[in-house]
Amino acid sequence: MAASGESRADTRPHRVVVLALDGVIPFELGIPQRIFSRARDADRRRLYEVVTCSVRPPGPVRTDADYTILVEHGPEALATADTVVVPASYELGPVYEEGRLTGELAAALARIRPGTRLVSICTGGYVLAAAGFLDGRPATTHWASAAHFQRLFPDVKVDADVLFIDDGDVLTSAGVAAGVDLCLHLVRRDQGTAVANDVARLTVVPPHRDGGQAQYIQRPVPEPQLATTRTARAWALSRLDQPLRLRDMAARESMSVRTFTRRFREEVGISPGQWLTQQRVERARHLLESSDLSVDRIARDSGFGTAQSMRQHLQAALGVTPTAYRRTFRDVAAG
């Protein structure tokens, strides 16, 4: 994985290079600039530098809209990246049709340094897959393309039911707004919850939608007059430090446990138990970053009960212990 902002010895911003291919979708192309460029440290210094490049020398690149864009960097910019982002394009040609890179695209991708973090938004994942970066890895793309993607790249472990997948140094997202979720996730992973929440507020988007949330709902969204699980979720969030039973959450909505569980999955995409664990992990992350409370106290306030339980859940979710997580983001703040 490429070094994130807190792990570089120097203080230069983390460099994000966005690869604009012919047929690029302007919305997806603009997401990295919109999200990463707003991440600032406590002294209001930029934490990321975002540049856009083409596979050709600087010049025009077609979009899927009724205009072209002028890209000021050629493929040599890819060699300078800490993170490379490939947004969706509607003109991938043999990449989409045959799973094969063009010579021009292969030459551009060959400039990427080993260890650079790779990110795709929507069908940009076809480029990473055609280059072999997704072989044997879990990945996602827009749900409407998932079956075709899996047929074209059988060595990729495609999951069409999530917003994004973080596989360490390679991350993939579903379509459109899921790219926002993934970029915010990266800011949170690199710089911590406080910075990511600031970016979300400036961008006027939800600060966090977990990658495991469903891309889309197969059943119709409940009409406003019908029961939902919203009240139960709000009730649970205000009591994360307490034991929470499924039947108590269901009772808040006057539903049976079975009906509540089904409706919860329809609305959120995961089970109530999984959702509670995610919210408790987020509470623990926030307290580790923003307070001087002991690990034992944070474990109680987050609803894990014991430090050992919290350690196991953070290790499973983030791959680090509470102490290591706190040290990492305290170092970010100090830097």
Side-chain angles (χ1 to χ4, degrees):
M1 180 177 68
S4 57
E6 73 275 11
S7 60
R8 294 191 307 275
D10 55 69
T11 58
R12 67 177 178 84
H14 183 107
R15 188 174 176 89
V16 178
V17 177
V18 185
L19 180 59
L21 301 171
D22 282 329
V24 69
I25 301 174
F27 183 95
E28 277 90 335
L29 178 64
I31 290 171
Q33 173 67 32
R34 186 71 177 176
I35 299 300
F36 291 116
S37 67
R38 279 158 177 72
R40 307 294 180 96
D41 66 12
D43 296 319
R44 307 308 299 165
R45 293 174 298 194
R46 289 183 181 272
L47 293 166
Y48 299 89
E49 176 189 15
V50 184
V51 300
T52 304
C53 77
S54 169
V55 295
R56 300 183 295 271
V61 172
R62 295 189 303 275
T63 74
D64 82 320
D66 62 342
Y67 55 84
T68 62
I69 57 173
L70 182 62
V71 176
E72 298 184 355
H73 300 275
E76 65 279 354
L78 293 168
T80 70
D82 299 307
T83 294
V84 170
V85 180
V86 184
S89 166
Y90 283 152
E91 296 183 22
L92 291 176
V95 174
Y96 183 86
E97 297 161 4
E98 306 170 31
R100 174 178 60 83
L101 297 176
T102 63
E104 186 178 56
L105 181 53
L109 296 177
R111 295 174 178 266
I112 299 174
R113 296 172 299 170
T116 300
R117 185 165 61 188
L118 304 174
V119 177
S120 67
I121 298 176
C122 193
T123 56
Y126 279 77
V127 175
L128 299 187
F133 294 126
L134 300 182
D135 287 352
R137 289 179 178 263
T140 193
T141 188
H142 193 289
W143 63 266
S145 298
H148 175 262
F149 189 92
Q150 185 67 88
R151 289 194 303 270
L152 199 61
F153 304 108
D155 292 335
V156 181
K157 302 173 184 177
V158 180
D159 186 346
D161 294 325
V162 295
L163 294 175
F164 62 83
I165 290 178
D166 180 343
D167 196 37
D169 58 344
V170 179
L171 301 93
T172 54
S173 80
V176 197
V180 176
D181 297 310
L182 177 52
C183 289
L184 275 173
H185 167 75
L186 282 170
V187 173
R188 178 175 286 101
R189 193 178 99 174
D190 291 348
Q191 311 297 343
T193 299
V195 173
N197 287 350
D198 283 344
V199 173
R201 280 192 292 270
L202 287 169
T203 316
V204 197
V205 296
H208 180 68
R209 289 199 300 166
D210 187 82
Q213 183 170 331
Q215 282 194 38
Y216 65 102
I217 300 171
Q218 294 180 327
R219 295 187 176 91
V221 177
E223 295 295 329
Q225 67 269 24
L226 298 181
T228 74
T229 63
R230 188 179 302 113
T231 299
R233 280 180 275 147
W235 177 80
L237 284 174
S238 69
R239 294 165 173 78
L240 284 180
D241 60 328
Q242 303 172 27
L244 294 169
R245 298 176 299 183
L246 182 57
R247 65 173 177 268
D248 293 332
M249 293 179 67
R252 304 298 299 183
E253 306 289 4
S254 300
M255 296 181 191
S256 68
V257 169
R258 181 177 179 180
T259 299
F260 178 81
T261 300
R262 174 175 57 80
R263 184 60 57 80
F264 196 101
R265 281 188 175 276
E266 290 173 355
E267 295 180 7
V268 182
I270 54 179
S271 72
Q274 291 171 318
W275 179 82
L276 277 173
T277 297
Q278 289 177 358
Q279 303 313 309
R280 284 174 165 146
V281 167
E282 287 303 308
R283 173 73 60 82
R285 291 173 70 170
H286 173 72
L287 292 174
L288 287 167
E289 294 173 23
S290 63
S291 77
D292 293 318
L293 296 174
S294 69
V295 171
D296 286 330
R297 173 65 183 275
I298 291 173
R300 292 196 299 272
D301 289 354
S302 301
F304 288 118
T306 67
Q308 178 62 24
S309 176
M310 183 175 74
R311 187 176 299 110
Q312 291 173 348
H313 281 95
L314 259 68
Q315 189 76 45
L318 308 175
V320 296
T321 65
T323 301
Y325 185 86
R326 168 174 270 172
R327 182 167 55 248
T328 295
F329 289 104
R330 287 298 174 84
D331 289 345
V332 170

